[in-house]
């Protein structure tokens, strides 16, 4: 999985929770730079050894990694921690 | 002796041609060094302006986050612990990310400032070296003229009965 694919995955998973967060905290959500939020998330995930382990355990098939459970779980955990959801 | 008297002015002429044609600094070089120095100064000024603008932007962003958090808090009729904790956590994370980003940007600007400073220093040194070179060549030319003069005088004395 390359950085662009991870970027897309983080964006996708963040989008799924962003609306919920926006409903709860509209003014704070408006003040947050989403692009920066995604970029920082990608950077932190790339620094996380758990992420690399998850990618490895997802197997060698590059096409499958993007939809592989361990990677998505990790990204979801990260996004959830980030948005407090 | 007649032959020697011809050789001396000839060598001086060759020496002068050599200096003018190929050894002294072409007049465009100091000009280019000067222009490059001015460009570096302008770039340093732009970087300094950018740095100030960015600093202001980050301050505004921090204020916007704080205002957003407070506005949500004020708009809420009932405050439950989970909601406050969630808002506070995201607010803190967003501020942390902003700070991280600001520090990264600051480091990049500092690096560019340092590179410009070094480039400016190199240009200053180049200007000094060019000046020294020209002075040296000028001195050498004068020394050569003096030697030629001495040689010519001595030749003249020798040929005079």
């Amino acid at each position: 999985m390359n950085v662009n694919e991870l970027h897309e995955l983080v964006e996708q998973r963040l989008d799924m929770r962003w609306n919920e967060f926006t409903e709860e905290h509209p003014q704070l959500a408006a003040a947050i730079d989403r692009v920066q939020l995604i970029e920082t998330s990608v950077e932190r995930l790339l620094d996380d050894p758990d992420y690399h382990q998850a990618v490895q355990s997802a197997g060698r098939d590059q096409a499958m990694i993007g939809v592989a459970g361990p990677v998505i779980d990790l990204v979801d955990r990260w996004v959830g921690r980030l948005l407090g959801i | 002796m007649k032959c020697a008297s011809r050789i001396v002015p000839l060598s001086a002429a060759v020496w002068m041609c050599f200096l003018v044609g190929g050894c002294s600094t072409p007049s465009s070089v100091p000009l280019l060094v000067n222009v490059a120095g001015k460009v570096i100064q302008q770039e340093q000024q732009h970087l300094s302006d950018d740095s100030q603008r960015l600093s202001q932007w980050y301050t505004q962003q921090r204020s916007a986050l704080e205002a957003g958090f407070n506005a949500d808090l004020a708009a809420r009729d009932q405050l439950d612990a989970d909601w406050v904790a969630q808002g506070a956590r995201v607010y803190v994370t967003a501020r942390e990310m902003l700070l991280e980003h600001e520090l990264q940007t600051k480091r990049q600007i500092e690096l560019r400032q340092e590179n410009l400073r070094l480039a400016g220093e190199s240009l200053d040194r180049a200007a000094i070296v060019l000046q020294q070179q020209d002075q040296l060549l000028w001195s050498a030319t004068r020394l050569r003229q003096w030697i030629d003069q001495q040689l010519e005088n001595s030749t003249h004395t020798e040929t005079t009965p």
Side-chain angles (χ1 to χ4, degrees), chain A:
Chain A
M1 174 178 258
N2 62 34
V3 179
N4 287 341
E5 286 165 342
L6 178 62
H7 200 279
E8 276 175 32
L9 183 65
V10 170
E11 191 173 359
Q12 194 184 52
R13 307 310 283 188
L14 188 74
D15 279 347
M16 287 166 69
R17 295 181 183 212
W18 187 252
N19 286 343
E20 191 187 333
F21 177 73
T22 306
E23 279 169 21
E24 290 291 313
H25 305 269
Q27 299 298 324
L28 181 58
I32 291 174
D33 184 348
R34 267 187 76 247
V35 175
Q36 196 186 315
L37 193 72
I38 293 164
E39 277 172 14
T40 308
S41 302
V42 170
E43 279 171 21
R44 289 197 182 166
L45 276 164
L46 286 170
D47 287 340
D48 189 350
D50 285 348
Y51 165 74
H52 295 284
Q53 205 177 353
V55 170
Q56 269 190 341
S57 69
R60 289 179 183 277
D61 187 352
Q62 289 293 315
M64 288 297 291
I65 290 174
V67 290
V71 180
I72 291 178
D73 285 348
L74 193 84
V75 173
D76 274 348
R77 265 210 310 277
W78 167 253
V79 171
R81 207 163 58 207
L82 202 69
L83 296 183
I85 298 168

Side-chain angles (χ1 to χ4, degrees), chain B residues 29-130:
Chain B
V29 174
L31 192 71
L32 284 173
V33 169
N34 193 24
V35 169
K38 279 181 183 165
V39 169
I40 285 175
Q41 277 177 357
Q42 282 172 357
E43 273 303 300
Q44 281 171 329
Q45 188 56 49
H46 287 157
L47 260 184
S48 175
D49 293 345
D50 284 351
S51 177
Q52 276 184 353
R53 264 197 297 272
L54 277 167
S55 181
Q56 283 169 357
W57 184 81
Y58 283 114
T59 306
Q60 281 171 1
Q61 289 296 108
R62 269 190 283 274
S63 301
L65 281 174
E66 194 179 341
F69 180 69
N70 288 332
D72 286 338
L73 209 65
R76 197 89 174 169
D77 292 332
Q78 285 184 326
L79 292 175
D80 62 275
D82 285 346
W83 184 90
V84 174
Q86 185 192 37
R89 198 182 307 152
V90 175
Y91 169 69
V92 169
T93 308
R95 273 189 71 114
E96 266 178 25
M97 286 194 305
L98 201 62
L99 184 66
E100 201 176 299
H101 202 258
E102 186 179 7
L103 289 174
Q104 266 179 16
T105 313
K106 207 175 165 185
R107 273 197 294 271
Q108 282 168 1
I109 286 178
E110 279 170 358
L111 187 70
R112 285 172 65 194
Q113 277 172 335
E114 179 63 7
N115 286 342
L116 281 174
R117 193 187 64 76
L118 290 173
E121 224 173 73
S122 300
L123 273 177
D124 287 345
R125 280 188 200 147
I128 290 168
V129 167
L130 286 174

